[in-house]
């Protein structure tokens, strides 16, 4: 472990003063925080910011994860979810087939369908529209948080419609918010290394800009822990921060810890707990214009999620029944969690659990 030198202490103090005075952190500040091993100070600063923004409230939602197809034209190096058409395990569900699945897992407390999937070029854009319509017709009171910015870009390419036109067609059948996926690391160099052939950096940001301009609130992510540098991560946050300055359309930032391909992968193939907590805390400090930072228990585990609530996170996602993408990549966590367990998780960190809807309207407070 590196010893923090007096010069590092004074640098950390400068950053602490900026945070406490409400000054925006720079690229150099963010990189310094990543290089420091003073996790407790970084976490304490993030906790101060979070308490100032949200008090002791921690949010969760009752949601159900749905995947209409795993057939995908992209071959991202980190993905173990995708399949080729005709490959064993490949599937493309009709609206009726998805309804049958949802009927088996739905209960009246479910408020959101979290819908993502492959970029399947063997079906037309109308298939993706009809998929949402089938769900909305059957479950009119459940919010449709559907598709990533990369999927919207894909729909634009196969339909010939602009991003705005694609979003408008989906909104007509009930789309209420975009998921945050597809961001990975917002660096074209990273995307080339990791064979991310879907939406590039500018396209990802442009889709969210178009959604925000239509009045949609969206989510955004960062998939960290592979070939990117610490500077890449900070630049990612700064690009998201800049768009938020422009549109104020993002609801929450979700750092996603990269999962190894195999569930049997050793601890050396996974991000450290230290790195996961530091990333959540730095996210809170860099993204001064974001209200919510999520600790995604599917990727970092339940107990680390609990600790993250004292280091800047104020959202623990949701019940997430039958999550598949991270688990296909080697996540060791449960595929879902009960409401009671989520509430216990939050209360165990000395926080107040708040059940929310997709747009962070408060449904119920669990004192």
């Amino acid at each position: 472990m590196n010893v923090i030198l007096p010069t590092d202490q004074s640098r950390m103090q400068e950053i602490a003063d900026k945070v406490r005075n409400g000054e925006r952190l720079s690229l150099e500040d963010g990189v310094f925080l990543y290089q420091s091993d003073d996790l407790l100070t970084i976490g304490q600063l993030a906790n101060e910011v979070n308490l100032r923004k949200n008090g002791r409230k921690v949010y969760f939602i009752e949601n159900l994860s749905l995947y209409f197809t795993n057939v995908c034209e992209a071959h991202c190096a980190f993905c173990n979810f995708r399949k080729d058409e005709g490959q064993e395990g490949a599937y493309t569900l009709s609206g009726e087939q998805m309804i049958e699945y949802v009927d088996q897992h739905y209960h009246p407390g479910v408020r959101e369908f979290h819908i993502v999937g492959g970029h399947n070029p063997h079906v037309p854009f109308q298939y993706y529209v009809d998929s949402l319509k089938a769900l909305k017709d059957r479950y009119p009171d459940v919010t449709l948080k559907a598709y990533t910015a990369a999927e919207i870009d894909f729909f634009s390419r196969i339909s010939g419609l602009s991003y705005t036109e694609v979003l408008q067609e989906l909104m007509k059948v009930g789309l209420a918010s975009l998921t945050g996926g597809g961001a990975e690391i917002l660096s074209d160099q990273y995307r080339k290394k990791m064979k991310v052939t879907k939406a590039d950096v500018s396209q990802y940001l442009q889709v969210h800009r178009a959604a925000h301009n239509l009045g949609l609130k969206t989510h955004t992510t960062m998939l960290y822990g592979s070939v990117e540098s610490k500077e890449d991560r900070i630049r990612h946050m700064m690009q998201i921060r800049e768009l938020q300055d422009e549109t104020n359309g993002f609801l929450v930032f979700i750092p996603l810890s990269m999962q190894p391909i195999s569930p049997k992968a050793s601890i050396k193939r996974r991000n450290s707990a230290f790195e996961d907590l530091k990333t959540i805390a730095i996210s809170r400090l860099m993204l001064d214009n974001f209200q919510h930072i999520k600790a995604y228990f599917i990727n970092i585990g339940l107990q680390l999620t609990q600790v993250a609530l004292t280091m800047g996170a104020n959202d623990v996602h949701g019940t997430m029944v039958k999550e598949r993408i991270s688990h296909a990549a080697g996540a060791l966590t449960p595929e879902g969690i009960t409401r009671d367990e989520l509430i216990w998780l939050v209360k165990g960190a000395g926080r107040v659990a708040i059940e929310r809807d997709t747009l962070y309207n408060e449904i119920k407070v669990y004192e």
Side-chain angles (χ1 to χ4, degrees), residues 10 15 63 76 84 95 99 109 147 151 158 193 230 270 354:
S10 59
I15 291 173
N63 59 351
C76 303
D84 290 320
I99 294 297
Y147 305 135
E151 285 174 276
I158 63 173
K193 280 184 188 174
K230 302 299 191 291
R270 299 174 183 275
I354 310 283

Side-chain angles (χ1 to χ4, degrees), residues 277-324:
L277 289 173
K278 191 189 283 188
T279 297
I280 286 169
I282 292 172
S283 300
R284 175 60 80 186
L285 296 174
M286 291 298 299
L287 297 175
D288 50 47
N289 53 5
F290 273 67
Q291 189 72 24
H292 306 291
I293 303 291
K294 184 177 292 186
Y296 188 53
F297 76 83
I298 291 289
N299 284 36
I300 67 172
L302 295 171
Q303 289 177 303
L304 205 59
T305 293
Q306 195 174 48
V307 177
L309 299 182
T310 66
M311 294 195 170
N314 74 307
D315 188 292
V316 291
H317 196 58
T319 49
M320 198 76 179
V321 178
K322 294 290 184 185
E323 194 283 336
R324 293 186 195 171

Side-chain angles (χ1 to χ4, degrees), residues 173-193:
V173 294
L175 178 72
S177 180
L178 294 183
T179 69
E184 323 316 356
I185 294 291
L186 294 176
S187 154
D188 286 324
Q189 185 180 13
Y190 165 93
R191 294 168 110 73
K192 187 175 181 181
K193 280 184 188 174

Side-chain angles (χ1 to χ4, degrees), residues 69-246:
T69 181
N70 63 352
V71 175
C72 190
E73 66 173 16
H75 291 77
C76 303
F78 48 78
C79 183
N80 207 37
F81 173 76
R82 68 161 308 282
K83 302 286 184 187
D84 290 320
E85 178 85 340
Q87 184 180 351
E88 184 179 352
Y91 67 86
T92 301
L93 302 181
S94 67
E96 294 72 28
Q97 289 171 314
M98 182 58 83
I99 294 297
E100 185 179 334
Y101 172 85
V102 175
D103 283 346
Q104 294 170 6
H105 295 90
Y106 176 82
H107 62 82
V110 172
R111 301 187 180 278
E112 173 188 282
F113 292 142
H114 176 99
I115 304 163
V116 293
H119 300 187
N120 186 343
H122 305 285
V123 291
F125 171 54
Q126 193 61 42
Y127 163 82
Y128 296 95
V129 176
D130 293 343
S131 297
L132 293 193
K133 186 175 188 305
L135 284 173
K136 198 63 179 177
D137 287 348
R138 179 78 172 88
Y139 300 99
D141 297 329
V142 180
T143 300
L144 299 183
K145 183 180 80 177
Y147 305 135
T148 66
E151 285 174 276
I152 299 301
D153 175 71
F154 169 69
F155 300 159
S156 173
R157 284 192 284 112
I158 63 173
S159 67
L161 301 174
S162 68
Y163 294 159
T164 297
E165 290 167 336
V166 166
L167 290 163
Q168 286 172 328
E169 289 303 306
L170 295 170
M171 290 169 71
K172 286 177 189 175
V173 294
L175 178 72
S177 180
L178 294 183
T179 69
E184 323 316 356
I185 294 291
L186 294 176
S187 154
D188 286 324
Q189 185 180 13
Y190 165 93
R191 294 168 110 73
K192 187 175 181 181
K193 280 184 188 174
M194 295 299 285
K195 300 177 183 174
V196 183
T197 53
K198 53 194 179 184
D200 64 22
V201 173
S202 63
Q203 289 165 335
Y204 179 88
L205 295 171
Q206 187 54 43
V207 168
H208 281 280
R209 180 180 286 109
H212 299 168
N213 288 340
L214 288 171
L216 286 178
K217 296 290 188 179
T218 68
H219 305 66
T220 189
T221 61
M222 178 180 75
L223 182 66
Y224 65 92
S226 59
V227 301
E228 82 282 355
S229 66
K230 302 299 191 291
E231 185 173 320
D232 286 336
R233 296 183 195 176
I234 298 300
R235 289 188 185 281
H236 177 111
M237 295 178 200
M238 291 176 70
Q239 289 179 84
I240 295 296
R241 186 173 73 181
E242 190 176 322
L243 182 55
Q244 183 75 330
D245 278 343
E246 179 189 329

